[in-house]
Amino acid sequence: MIVDGHEDLAWNMLTFGRDYSRSVAQTRALEAGSETVKHNGQTLLGWPDWIEGQVGLAFAVLFAAPERWQAGPWDHVTYKDGAEAHRHYWGQLDLYQRLADDHQDKFLPIASQADLAGHLQSWDGPAEGRRLGWVLLMEGADGLQAPETLENWHAGGLRIIGPAWAGTRYAGSCYEPGPFTADGIELLDVMAELGMMLDLSHLSDEACHQALDRYPGTLLASHANVRRLVANSKYPERHLSDEVIQGVVERDGVIGVVLANKFLKDGWLPGDRRELVTIDHVVAHIDAICQLAGDAQHVALGSDFDGGFGLDQVPVGLDSIADLAKIGQALQARGYQESDMLGVLGENWIRMLERALPPN
Ligand SMILES: [Zn+2]
């Protein structure tokens, strides 16, 4: 089974009305020439395509941006204060539950080791019974009104938190650098008590180092690349320094490589020719992490598909989520063992979840 570490499903459903029970081809046909394509490109995600591509599990994201980062009037999932952030994020938790309830044959929320074991077993069975499972991930913690409310979110199935996208009242980000605040430190303590996973993606360097120093629980980067390979990036802290990568590896964490051209090839910008970026660029980031780690057990995929970009901004050869297996083929062509290839495509995330999810 292939696992994808980052998909902004709720944000797309709310911002563009996307229906992910449809296929990629159906959504593209429906959206042809629309504003959605102008703002977020042609979709890369759809239920039959997940299944066809053997993508059985994704980290499904709760996301809203602070109003100061609003990209235009169409970008309405934004907040001006903590109360509004809370409404958006809690609403998205609810939205995922409704999506799963409405399509019980297609989607399955996963919040425990028992859920995961059952889901893995169902994928070993006949193809008709296969569903997309998801683990909920909060990107930007302003949706939490206070650290002590985290228990409610945990009860609602939330298992992973990335404290910042832009800066939040909990932590500085790659776009708005700064440390964890006093509230942020308290949040880490409550997360650790509940056994939640901490996502370093988008955190500032300073906050990453604080997290590595003091978070005792499971660490990951759901969607981040190797800074050294995109050194001229507009926001260098969006990607991980070798030091932080090594820190994650030492803690047995996993890093999901983002499949956005601007994050894969140094100097590539939206509007540039898609053909300039290939699956070899993806392999370069994966390989750089493996070289630092000394093994292939700490890197995986975090596509971020539909997270602000579409078909024209992903490597040539990857035309939808159904094509992720091609990354595995490229790794094998590069000399990776089959077991390492399977680790990168999914088993590394699964091993982390088997360790970090609560038993029941
Ligand atoms: Zn992100």
Side-chain angles (χ1 to χ4, degrees):
M1 180 194 286
I2 296 176
V3 183
D4 188 2
H6 200 94
E7 294 180 359
D8 285 293
L9 306 183
W11 180 78
N12 273 274
M13 290 188 272
L14 293 165
T15 305
F16 305 113
R18 278 182 166 162
D19 175 353
Y20 283 120
S21 69
R22 293 186 179 126
S23 70
V24 167
Q26 278 175 306
T27 300
R28 285 183 188 170
L30 279 165
E31 291 179 351
S34 72
E35 288 289 299
T36 298
V37 176
K38 213 158 78 188
H39 301 309
N40 205 29
Q42 293 189 62
T43 190
L44 295 158
L45 303 174
W47 186 77
D49 308 274
W50 274 301
I51 303 305
E52 182 201 325
Q54 311 264 337
V55 181
L57 185 61
F59 300 170
V61 176
L62 316 174
F63 172 74
E67 217 171 52
R68 62 184 182 278
W69 283 84
Q70 188 175 32
W74 59 272
D75 184 13
H76 59 87
V77 183
T78 60
Y79 59 88
K80 59 183 174 311
D81 55 27
E84 198 171 11
H86 179 263
R87 278 200 300 279
H88 278 305
Y89 279 89
W90 192 259
Q92 291 182 22
L93 195 81
D94 214 46
L95 183 62
Y96 279 116
Q97 191 54 55
R98 270 185 288 144
L99 183 66
D101 289 346
D102 291 348
H103 300 280
Q104 294 181 23
D105 56 332
K106 292 186 171 67
F107 301 113
L108 180 72
I110 288 174
S112 69
Q113 292 174 24
D115 294 343
L116 179 61
H119 183 57
L120 292 173
Q121 215 168 37
S122 77
W123 267 77
D124 287 337
E128 307 80 64
R130 292 181 178 177
R131 292 179 281 182
L132 175 73
W134 64 55
V135 177
L136 295 178
L137 184 163
M138 174 183 269
E139 182 174 31
D142 273 338
L144 298 170
Q145 285 183 302
E148 59 269 23
T149 64
L150 189 54
E151 216 170 329
N152 302 330
W153 293 83
H154 188 265
L158 183 67
R159 293 293 177 266
I160 309 170
I161 297 180
W165 174 76
T168 61
R169 67 179 177 285
Y170 297 103
S173 91
C174 54
Y175 308 132
E176 295 170 338
F180 273 91
T181 62
D183 280 356
I185 301 288
E186 199 189 326
L187 173 64
L188 293 182
D189 291 344
V190 179
M191 283 176 65
E193 269 168 49
L194 289 166
M196 298 189 76
M197 293 167 260
L198 174 61
D199 184 357
L200 302 182
S201 313
H202 288 281
L203 284 178
S204 68
D205 277 4
E206 192 179 358
C208 279
H209 285 286
Q210 279 177 295
L212 285 166
D213 285 344
R214 66 176 301 143
Y215 193 67
T218 300
L219 290 166
L220 67 145
S222 68
H223 63 312
N225 289 352
V226 178
R227 184 180 306 170
R228 187 160 34 85
L229 302 184
V230 279
N232 296 301
S233 164
K234 184 173 173 196
Y235 298 106
E237 295 186 32
R238 175 66 186 83
H239 303 292
L240 305 176
S241 67
D242 284 5
E243 227 181 323
V244 169
I245 292 170
Q246 269 156 340
V248 173
V249 169
E250 275 163 30
R251 299 285 304 281
D252 204 14
V254 176
I255 296 161
V257 167
V258 194
L259 305 179
N261 287 353
K262 64 185 173 196
F263 292 166
L264 288 164
K265 180 179 162 60
D266 204 21
W268 193 95
L269 292 170
D272 288 352
R273 283 194 313 121
R274 185 187 172 207
E275 289 70 26
L276 296 172
V277 188
T278 69
I279 292 174
D280 287 343
H281 291 92
V282 179
V283 170
H285 284 266
I286 292 170
D287 193 59
I289 295 169
C290 292
Q291 298 303 332
L292 284 167
D295 61 44
Q297 291 168 27
H298 299 92
V299 61
L301 303 176
S303 77
D304 206 8
F305 278 178
D306 288 4
F309 60 92
L311 179 62
D312 59 341
Q313 296 192 38
V314 300
V316 69
L318 300 180
D319 291 330
S320 81
I321 194 72
D323 289 332
L324 295 188
K326 290 185 184 171
I327 297 168
Q329 291 158 12
L331 285 169
Q332 284 195 288
R334 183 74 173 262
Y336 277 66
Q337 302 290 320
E338 189 183 12
S339 57
D340 286 341
M341 178 272 283
L342 293 173
V344 174
L345 289 187
E347 280 172 16
N348 292 340
W349 280 137
I350 290 171
R351 217 179 37 252
M352 179 193 82
L353 293 172
E354 284 175 338
R355 194 176 72 224
L357 288 173
N360 286 294

